[in-house]
PDB file of all heavy atoms in Angstrom:
ATOM      1  N   LEU A   2      -6.566  16.473  -2.128  1.00  0.00           N
ATOM      2  CA  LEU A   2      -6.650  15.411  -1.136  1.00  0.00           C
ATOM      3  C   LEU A   2      -8.049  14.808  -1.207  1.00  0.00           C
ATOM      4  O   LEU A   2      -9.042  15.536  -1.190  1.00  0.00           O
ATOM      5  CB  LEU A   2      -6.361  15.961   0.263  1.00  0.00           C
ATOM      6  CG  LEU A   2      -4.931  16.466   0.475  1.00  0.00           C
ATOM      7  CD1 LEU A   2      -4.809  17.216   1.797  1.00  0.00           C
ATOM      8  CD2 LEU A   2      -3.934  15.319   0.403  1.00  0.00           C
ATOM      9  N   SER A   3      -8.129  13.495  -1.313  1.00  0.00           N
ATOM     10  CA  SER A   3      -9.419  12.828  -1.513  1.00  0.00           C
ATOM     11  C   SER A   3     -10.002  12.344  -0.190  1.00  0.00           C
ATOM     12  O   SER A   3      -9.338  12.345   0.847  1.00  0.00           O
ATOM     13  CB  SER A   3      -9.247  11.637  -2.458  1.00  0.00           C
ATOM     14  OG  SER A   3      -8.608  10.572  -1.786  1.00  0.00           O
ATOM     15  N   GLN A   4     -11.224  11.889  -0.261  1.00  0.00           N
ATOM     16  CA  GLN A   4     -11.871  11.311   0.909  1.00  0.00           C
ATOM     17  C   GLN A   4     -11.083  10.093   1.404  1.00  0.00           C
ATOM     18  O   GLN A   4     -11.020   9.836   2.595  1.00  0.00           O
ATOM     19  CB  GLN A   4     -13.310  10.918   0.565  1.00  0.00           C
ATOM     20  CG  GLN A   4     -14.172  10.650   1.772  1.00  0.00           C
ATOM     21  CD  GLN A   4     -14.319  11.876   2.672  1.00  0.00           C
ATOM     22  OE1 GLN A   4     -14.561  12.978   2.194  1.00  0.00           O
ATOM     23  NE2 GLN A   4     -14.148  11.682   3.971  1.00  0.00           N
ATOM     24  N   ALA A   5     -10.449   9.377   0.479  1.00  0.00           N
ATOM     25  CA  ALA A   5      -9.631   8.223   0.860  1.00  0.00           C
ATOM     26  C   ALA A   5      -8.412   8.637   1.686  1.00  0.00           C
ATOM     27  O   ALA A   5      -7.846   7.819   2.413  1.00  0.00           O
ATOM     28  CB  ALA A   5      -9.183   7.457  -0.385  1.00  0.00           C
ATOM     29  N   ASP A   6      -7.995   9.908   1.590  1.00  0.00           N
ATOM     30  CA  ASP A   6      -6.856  10.402   2.365  1.00  0.00           C
ATOM     31  C   ASP A   6      -7.244  10.768   3.802  1.00  0.00           C
ATOM     32  O   ASP A   6      -6.379  10.916   4.652  1.00  0.00           O
ATOM     33  CB  ASP A   6      -6.236  11.632   1.695  1.00  0.00           C
ATOM     34  CG  ASP A   6      -5.642  11.319   0.336  1.00  0.00           C
ATOM     35  OD1 ASP A   6      -5.022  10.251   0.193  1.00  0.00           O
ATOM     36  OD2 ASP A   6      -5.810  12.143  -0.584  1.00  0.00           O
ATOM     37  N   ALA A   7      -8.546  10.941   4.053  1.00  0.00           N
ATOM     38  CA  ALA A   7      -9.010  11.294   5.395  1.00  0.00           C
ATOM     39  C   ALA A   7      -8.736  10.112   6.324  1.00  0.00           C
ATOM     40  O   ALA A   7      -9.083   8.973   6.041  1.00  0.00           O
ATOM     41  CB  ALA A   7     -10.487  11.641   5.369  1.00  0.00           C
ATOM     42  N   HIS A   8      -8.102  10.406   7.444  1.00  0.00           N
ATOM     43  CA  HIS A   8      -7.691   9.347   8.361  1.00  0.00           C
ATOM     44  C   HIS A   8      -8.341   9.496   9.733  1.00  0.00           C
ATOM     45  O   HIS A   8      -8.402   8.555  10.502  1.00  0.00           O
ATOM     46  CB  HIS A   8      -6.163   9.362   8.490  1.00  0.00           C
ATOM     47  CG  HIS A   8      -5.587   8.194   9.213  1.00  0.00           C
ATOM     48  ND1 HIS A   8      -5.542   6.929   8.674  1.00  0.00           N
ATOM     49  CD2 HIS A   8      -5.037   8.093  10.445  1.00  0.00           C
ATOM     50  CE1 HIS A   8      -4.982   6.102   9.535  1.00  0.00           C
ATOM     51  NE2 HIS A   8      -4.660   6.783  10.626  1.00  0.00           N
ATOM     52  N   TYR A   9      -8.814  10.686  10.031  1.00  0.00           N
ATOM     53  CA  TYR A   9      -9.387  10.987  11.338  1.00  0.00           C
ATOM     54  C   TYR A   9     -10.752  11.647  11.161  1.00  0.00           C
ATOM     55  O   TYR A   9     -11.129  12.045  10.056  1.00  0.00           O
ATOM     56  CB  TYR A   9      -8.456  11.926  12.126  1.00  0.00           C
ATOM     57  CG  TYR A   9      -7.094  11.335  12.372  1.00  0.00           C
ATOM     58  CD1 TYR A   9      -5.980  11.795  11.674  1.00  0.00           C
ATOM     59  CD2 TYR A   9      -6.915  10.320  13.307  1.00  0.00           C
ATOM     60  CE1 TYR A   9      -4.732  11.253  11.905  1.00  0.00           C
ATOM     61  CE2 TYR A   9      -5.658   9.778  13.540  1.00  0.00           C
ATOM     62  CZ  TYR A   9      -4.575  10.252  12.836  1.00  0.00           C
ATOM     63  OH  TYR A   9      -3.338   9.717  13.062  1.00  0.00           O
ATOM     64  N   GLY A  10     -11.479  11.796  12.269  1.00  0.00           N
ATOM     65  CA  GLY A  10     -12.768  12.463  12.241  1.00  0.00           C
ATOM     66  C   GLY A  10     -12.664  13.869  11.676  1.00  0.00           C
ATOM     67  O   GLY A  10     -11.599  14.493  11.721  1.00  0.00           O
ATOM     68  N   GLY A  11     -13.760  14.342  11.121  1.00  0.00           N
ATOM     69  CA  GLY A  11     -13.767  15.686  10.541  1.00  0.00           C
ATOM     70  C   GLY A  11     -13.004  15.784   9.240  1.00  0.00           C
ATOM     71  O   GLY A  11     -12.601  16.870   8.837  1.00  0.00           O
ATOM     72  N   ASN A  12     -12.775  14.640   8.579  1.00  0.00           N
ATOM     73  CA  ASN A  12     -12.050  14.597   7.297  1.00  0.00           C
ATOM     74  C   ASN A  12     -10.594  15.040   7.407  1.00  0.00           C
ATOM     75  O   ASN A  12      -9.982  15.444   6.421  1.00  0.00           O
ATOM     76  CB  ASN A  12     -12.768  15.409   6.220  1.00  0.00           C
ATOM     77  CG  ASN A  12     -14.043  14.745   5.772  1.00  0.00           C
ATOM     78  OD1 ASN A  12     -14.111  13.515   5.711  1.00  0.00           O
ATOM     79  ND2 ASN A  12     -15.061  15.534   5.466  1.00  0.00           N
ATOM     80  N   LEU A  13     -10.027  14.958   8.598  1.00  0.00           N
ATOM     81  CA  LEU A  13      -8.633  15.341   8.812  1.00  0.00           C
ATOM     82  C   LEU A  13      -7.694  14.332   8.148  1.00  0.00           C
ATOM     83  O   LEU A  13      -7.885  13.122   8.260  1.00  0.00           O
ATOM     84  CB  LEU A  13      -8.347  15.407  10.313  1.00  0.00           C
ATOM     85  CG  LEU A  13      -6.989  15.950  10.742  1.00  0.00           C
ATOM     86  CD1 LEU A  13      -6.853  17.419  10.340  1.00  0.00           C
ATOM     87  CD2 LEU A  13      -6.834  15.812  12.249  1.00  0.00           C
ATOM     88  N   VAL A  14      -6.695  14.850   7.438  1.00  0.00           N
ATOM     89  CA  VAL A  14      -5.696  14.024   6.752  1.00  0.00           C
ATOM     90  C   VAL A  14      -4.460  13.913   7.646  1.00  0.00           C
ATOM     91  O   VAL A  14      -3.984  14.913   8.193  1.00  0.00           O
ATOM     92  CB  VAL A  14      -5.328  14.647   5.379  1.00  0.00           C
ATOM     93  CG1 VAL A  14      -4.185  13.901   4.721  1.00  0.00           C
ATOM     94  CG2 VAL A  14      -6.557  14.680   4.474  1.00  0.00           C
ATOM     95  N   ALA A  15      -3.949  12.710   7.799  1.00  0.00           N
ATOM     96  CA  ALA A  15      -2.767  12.475   8.639  1.00  0.00           C
ATOM     97  C   ALA A  15      -1.537  13.153   8.060  1.00  0.00           C
ATOM     98  O   ALA A  15      -1.349  13.211   6.835  1.00  0.00           O
ATOM     99  CB  ALA A  15      -2.524  10.968   8.781  1.00  0.00           C
ATOM    100  N   GLY A  16      -0.690  13.641   8.946  1.00  0.00           N
ATOM    101  CA  GLY A  16       0.568  14.241   8.512  1.00  0.00           C
ATOM    102  C   GLY A  16       1.429  13.270   7.727  1.00  0.00           C
ATOM    103  O   GLY A  16       2.220  13.675   6.868  1.00  0.00           O
ATOM    104  N   ALA A  17       1.272  11.972   7.995  1.00  0.00           N
ATOM    105  CA  ALA A  17       2.030  10.962   7.249  1.00  0.00           C
ATOM    106  C   ALA A  17       1.746  11.042   5.757  1.00  0.00           C
ATOM    107  O   ALA A  17       2.626  10.761   4.944  1.00  0.00           O
ATOM    108  CB  ALA A  17       1.716   9.566   7.780  1.00  0.00           C
ATOM    109  N   LYS A  18       0.529  11.413   5.379  1.00  0.00           N
ATOM    110  CA  LYS A  18       0.197  11.550   3.951  1.00  0.00           C
ATOM    111  C   LYS A  18       1.028  12.677   3.337  1.00  0.00           C
ATOM    112  O   LYS A  18       1.540  12.546   2.219  1.00  0.00           O
ATOM    113  CB  LYS A  18      -1.300  11.823   3.776  1.00  0.00           C
ATOM    114  CG  LYS A  18      -1.708  12.072   2.341  1.00  0.00           C
ATOM    115  CD  LYS A  18      -1.473  10.848   1.466  1.00  0.00           C
ATOM    116  CE  LYS A  18      -1.875  11.106   0.034  1.00  0.00           C
ATOM    117  NZ  LYS A  18      -1.680   9.944  -0.820  1.00  0.00           N
ATOM    118  N   LEU A  19       1.191  13.773   4.057  1.00  0.00           N
ATOM    119  CA  LEU A  19       1.987  14.890   3.541  1.00  0.00           C
ATOM    120  C   LEU A  19       3.448  14.480   3.412  1.00  0.00           C
ATOM    121  O   LEU A  19       4.126  14.840   2.440  1.00  0.00           O
ATOM    122  CB  LEU A  19       1.832  16.113   4.438  1.00  0.00           C
ATOM    123  CG  LEU A  19       0.391  16.599   4.649  1.00  0.00           C
ATOM    124  CD1 LEU A  19       0.374  17.845   5.521  1.00  0.00           C
ATOM    125  CD2 LEU A  19      -0.316  16.838   3.331  1.00  0.00           C
ATOM    126  N   MET A  20       3.935  13.682   4.368  1.00  0.00           N
ATOM    127  CA  MET A  20       5.315  13.205   4.285  1.00  0.00           C
ATOM    128  C   MET A  20       5.489  12.249   3.108  1.00  0.00           C
ATOM    129  O   MET A  20       6.543  12.246   2.460  1.00  0.00           O
ATOM    130  CB  MET A  20       5.728  12.559   5.598  1.00  0.00           C
ATOM    131  CG  MET A  20       5.808  13.594   6.726  1.00  0.00           C
ATOM    132  SD  MET A  20       6.234  12.889   8.311  1.00  0.00           S
ATOM    133  CE  MET A  20       7.959  12.526   8.040  1.00  0.00           C
ATOM    134  N   GLU A  21       4.470  11.449   2.807  1.00  0.00           N
ATOM    135  CA  GLU A  21       4.515  10.588   1.615  1.00  0.00           C
ATOM    136  C   GLU A  21       4.677  11.439   0.356  1.00  0.00           C
ATOM    137  O   GLU A  21       5.452  11.099  -0.538  1.00  0.00           O
ATOM    138  CB  GLU A  21       3.237   9.765   1.532  1.00  0.00           C
ATOM    139  CG  GLU A  21       3.126   8.901   0.295  1.00  0.00           C
ATOM    140  CD  GLU A  21       1.771   8.204   0.183  1.00  0.00           C
ATOM    141  OE1 GLU A  21       1.031   8.123   1.169  1.00  0.00           O
ATOM    142  OE2 GLU A  21       1.465   7.750  -0.938  1.00  0.00           O
ATOM    143  N   LEU A  22       3.973  12.560   0.313  1.00  0.00           N
ATOM    144  CA  LEU A  22       4.075  13.453  -0.845  1.00  0.00           C
ATOM    145  C   LEU A  22       5.436  14.131  -0.912  1.00  0.00           C
ATOM    146  O   LEU A  22       5.962  14.359  -2.005  1.00  0.00           O
ATOM    147  CB  LEU A  22       2.936  14.472  -0.812  1.00  0.00           C
ATOM    148  CG  LEU A  22       1.543  13.858  -0.953  1.00  0.00           C
ATOM    149  CD1 LEU A  22       0.463  14.893  -0.661  1.00  0.00           C
ATOM    150  CD2 LEU A  22       1.350  13.233  -2.326  1.00  0.00           C
ATOM    151  N   PHE A  23       6.033  14.440   0.247  1.00  0.00           N
ATOM    152  CA  PHE A  23       7.414  14.947   0.241  1.00  0.00           C
ATOM    153  C   PHE A  23       8.326  13.920  -0.429  1.00  0.00           C
ATOM    154  O   PHE A  23       9.212  14.269  -1.211  1.00  0.00           O
ATOM    155  CB  PHE A  23       7.924  15.210   1.661  1.00  0.00           C
ATOM    156  CG  PHE A  23       7.315  16.387   2.363  1.00  0.00           C
ATOM    157  CD1 PHE A  23       7.266  16.409   3.747  1.00  0.00           C
ATOM    158  CD2 PHE A  23       6.817  17.479   1.670  1.00  0.00           C
ATOM    159  CE1 PHE A  23       6.729  17.487   4.421  1.00  0.00           C
ATOM    160  CE2 PHE A  23       6.277  18.568   2.337  1.00  0.00           C
ATOM    161  CZ  PHE A  23       6.233  18.570   3.720  1.00  0.00           C
ATOM    162  N   GLY A  24       8.123  12.651  -0.129  1.00  0.00           N
ATOM    163  CA  GLY A  24       8.915  11.587  -0.742  1.00  0.00           C
ATOM    164  C   GLY A  24       8.743  11.533  -2.248  1.00  0.00           C
ATOM    165  O   GLY A  24       9.706  11.294  -2.986  1.00  0.00           O
ATOM    166  N   ASP A  25       7.514  11.757  -2.735  1.00  0.00           N
ATOM    167  CA  ASP A  25       7.273  11.776  -4.181  1.00  0.00           C
ATOM    168  C   ASP A  25       8.041  12.913  -4.850  1.00  0.00           C
ATOM    169  O   ASP A  25       8.640  12.744  -5.912  1.00  0.00           O
ATOM    170  CB  ASP A  25       5.783  11.911  -4.480  1.00  0.00           C
ATOM    171  CG  ASP A  25       4.987  10.689  -4.099  1.00  0.00           C
ATOM    172  OD1 ASP A  25       5.586   9.607  -3.897  1.00  0.00           O
ATOM    173  OD2 ASP A  25       3.741  10.800  -3.998  1.00  0.00           O
ATOM    174  N   VAL A  26       8.027  14.083  -4.220  1.00  0.00           N
ATOM    175  CA  VAL A  26       8.761  15.231  -4.768  1.00  0.00           C
ATOM    176  C   VAL A  26      10.264  14.974  -4.701  1.00  0.00           C
ATOM    177  O   VAL A  26      11.006  15.301  -5.641  1.00  0.00           O
ATOM    178  CB  VAL A  26       8.360  16.530  -4.038  1.00  0.00           C
ATOM    179  CG1 VAL A  26       9.274  17.682  -4.422  1.00  0.00           C
ATOM    180  CG2 VAL A  26       6.913  16.893  -4.364  1.00  0.00           C
ATOM    181  N   ALA A  27      10.736  14.364  -3.619  1.00  0.00           N
ATOM    182  CA  ALA A  27      12.162  14.038  -3.496  1.00  0.00           C
ATOM    183  C   ALA A  27      12.595  13.089  -4.609  1.00  0.00           C
ATOM    184  O   ALA A  27      13.684  13.247  -5.187  1.00  0.00           O
ATOM    185  CB  ALA A  27      12.447  13.414  -2.127  1.00  0.00           C
ATOM    186  N   THR A  28      11.744  12.122  -4.927  1.00  0.00           N
ATOM    187  CA  THR A  28      12.060  11.185  -6.017  1.00  0.00           C
ATOM    188  C   THR A  28      12.228  11.942  -7.324  1.00  0.00           C
ATOM    189  O   THR A  28      13.189  11.712  -8.071  1.00  0.00           O
ATOM    190  CB  THR A  28      10.957  10.118  -6.143  1.00  0.00           C
ATOM    191  OG1 THR A  28      10.930   9.362  -4.931  1.00  0.00           O
ATOM    192  CG2 THR A  28      11.216   9.199  -7.311  1.00  0.00           C
TER     193      THR A  28
END
């Protein structure tokens, strides 16, 4: 997960990013 994936303070990545990756695996 890159700095560009950080969406909130403290470098927290949004759960939506993980769901996007679920979609990639589903494809």
Side-chain angles (χ1 to χ4, degrees):
L2 294 170
S3 74
Q4 195 62 46
D6 296 320
H8 190 72
Y9 300 107
N12 289 325
L13 187 65
V14 174
K18 176 64 180 181
L19 304 182
M20 293 178 73
E21 176 186 343
L22 296 170
F23 289 154
D25 291 343
V26 170
T28 297

